[in-house]
Amino acid sequence: MNDGSSVTHNSAAYGSTVGMQAGVVHNAHVSIGHQDASPQEKYKVGVRFLEDGVPSRARDLISDAIANGYDNAEVRFHWVLAMLSGRAYDDLSTEELQRLHRASGLVRTYAEGEWKDTLRVAFELLEMLSTPDGETGRVLERLRALSPSLRDTILHHFDLVLTGGLKDSLWAERRERAEAARFGNDRVQRVWAYFEPDPIGPRALPPRPSAAAAAQATLPVRVGLFLAVTAFLCILSLIADPAAAAIELLVALGAGLTATHFGCRWWYQEHQLKTKNRMFQVPHTRDPASPGEGFTNSVRHSFDHYFSTRVPYGFTPHEWLGHTVHIRNSLVSEIAVLYRESRISVDRVNWLIRYLAEDTRDRYSKGTLFDSRHQGQTPAAAKALCVVALVALGITTLALLGTVASSVGASQMVLAILAVVGTVWSGRAAASSWLEARGEERRLAEETQEYQERLAARQAAYQNWKSFLDATRPSEQEMETWLTCDKTLFIDEVLRHYQLTWRDLITHTILVTPARPYKRGRVKGGPWRYSRYSFRLFLVTQGGVREISSEFDFTDARRGNRQRSNYRFDALSSVQVTERSEVGYDLELVLTNGPARNIRVKDADTHHLAPDENAQEIAEIDLNSAGFIHTFRLLEGIAADGKGWIERNNPDNLPSFHAAG
């Protein structure tokens, strides 16, 4: 026998421990409603929970709506469905049976119409539970006369209530509808989106703050000193030889302006290249803030994956990874800086990483990938002109010094030399401050424009991905419908295999549990849904219990390992459930002729709850959705009473339900 727990591997993206696998929680569910919500609002939310496979919440909300005066045939019909959904007749308490009896007496008070007729049929089906099969024809005719949607709704929620010939006569139709709806609404192409996390919003590195303030503060002093010293040198040279000095000063002015024009651009671009080379150089180490592989390493692995699958023509994945290693390192560092925060997984950022990988590929294909590098290179002609101008300026300065020396004494010559040194020093200092201040203004403007462009492009990519995801992601009702179809066809296949009819069964139950490795997701307030399931069906007959289990890939309903077991009533010695907050819920079956078997019913989800969600409430929703409550009660009763359990629960011995009035 195999309980399905032998496969314990975690997927790389979703698992951190054997006992718990990560998942995604969507905010797509209808609001549960605040305390002041109107009865009509609570009823609508209750119906939505019922459709989504959470009857326990539906019972509470619809009952609350009725208690506050919102009661009619439609409301009462959904209340009856919520009372019976996922439950057998013997699961109902005495008080619940009394409430159903009182509700049946209210049918005559409701306005005539489709809802009243449907509600009447629902109660008539309950009355037929202890009626011989030959006397059910009238009710079946009334049931078939209902609209297909209402008829299917009743059959779905009355699944564990209907037994014997009543169910036999309806099973073929139900199987056909399940086959037709099993892959409806493009299931195979859409299920993946349910387990895709909601993407986190786009971000981009903002411009670095301007550092021009310090340079601007020193600029006036340095420029003033340069002008004073230069004026003194000019005066000395004009006094010594006005004609020669005038020519030399004009040449110096032209060379200075030329060097300033071309040198300013050269200096700025070289400075930017050096700055960019220093940026985003993050060591390739693990993230010390979290155990195991940290966020930065996860981002790096994701970039490697998407770059290896988004490869331009002419490259192999390995070659492309080598060609873009510096680009990837820069992007990894950027994403790590932008999104490094608590409880943010790389899965929520993958949309951006994928976009950046595609953008890099597309820019390479267009020949624009290294535009910024080429733009950072000053043309050789400009560099040559700048160098020539600086050389000319230096020669002209020496010529001015010679002009002064030709007609002055030794003391004036010393002053001239000091003036030249002062001019060079103050000029260099003034130029440095001016270049830094002007460069920072230009850099800030360029980076602001680049930031806005990058953010706009990422915003567009985010909206495209989110819109596609929202349009593709199945609704809760679709997920529940597909799961119901899978269970129906699985049960039908087992019945065919054992050549059993519903008349041969005392009762049945199906336990739906996760099968590792899986992805999981849920909407806020709803049950966990899984990419891989294990179905475990228990068929109870006069001869004992047949247990059949099979693994399912929910995307395409492919079935994996299947195990079958048969045992007598007295072979099941005990059943117990173990709850561990950090691990989950385990169901333990103990047989007299074998070791105890542990069945993982659900994994822990404490770390995946919204702040306003109650852990115990969500656990109860999950256990009800899995069919655990009914399964546990059934197996517990068999283990406690053995064959005596049959006498009390045989469909022929069920207590009669008599509708009031």
Side-chain angles (χ1 to χ4, degrees), residues 615-634:
Q616 186 62 35
E617 184 178 273
I618 296 300
E620 291 176 1
I621 288 174
D622 280 327
L623 294 176
N624 274 288
S625 179
F628 169 78
I629 304 299
H630 176 64
T631 300
F632 179 70
R633 181 174 295 177
L634 170 64

Side-chain angles (χ1 to χ4, degrees), residues 99-112:
R99 292 174 66 190
L100 284 168
H101 177 75
R102 289 195 297 270
S104 66
L106 298 174
V107 175
R108 64 179 183 274
T109 66
Y110 298 131
E112 295 295 332

Side-chain angles (χ1 to χ4, degrees), residues 50-124:
L50 184 63
E51 293 172 345
D52 294 348
V54 191
S56 58
R57 292 291 292 127
R59 282 195 293 273
D60 294 339
L61 289 166
I62 298 177
S63 295
D64 195 352
I66 293 174
N68 284 278
Y70 189 59
D71 188 11
N72 55 45
E74 178 184 357
V75 173
R76 188 64 68 169
F77 169 69
H78 286 103
W79 176 81
V80 171
L81 294 183
M83 290 290 290
L84 298 172
S85 184
R87 308 168 86 186
Y89 188 81
D90 60 319
D91 289 334
L92 300 172
S93 66
T94 302
E95 188 215 347
E96 288 173 328
L97 288 172
Q98 291 173 349
R99 292 174 66 190
L100 284 168
H101 177 75
R102 289 195 297 270
S104 66
L106 298 174
V107 175
R108 64 179 183 274
T109 66
Y110 298 131
E112 295 295 332
E114 182 183 36
W115 289 112
K116 182 175 181 177
D117 294 339
T118 306
L119 180 60
R120 186 180 289 115
V121 170
F123 280 118
E124 288 176 351

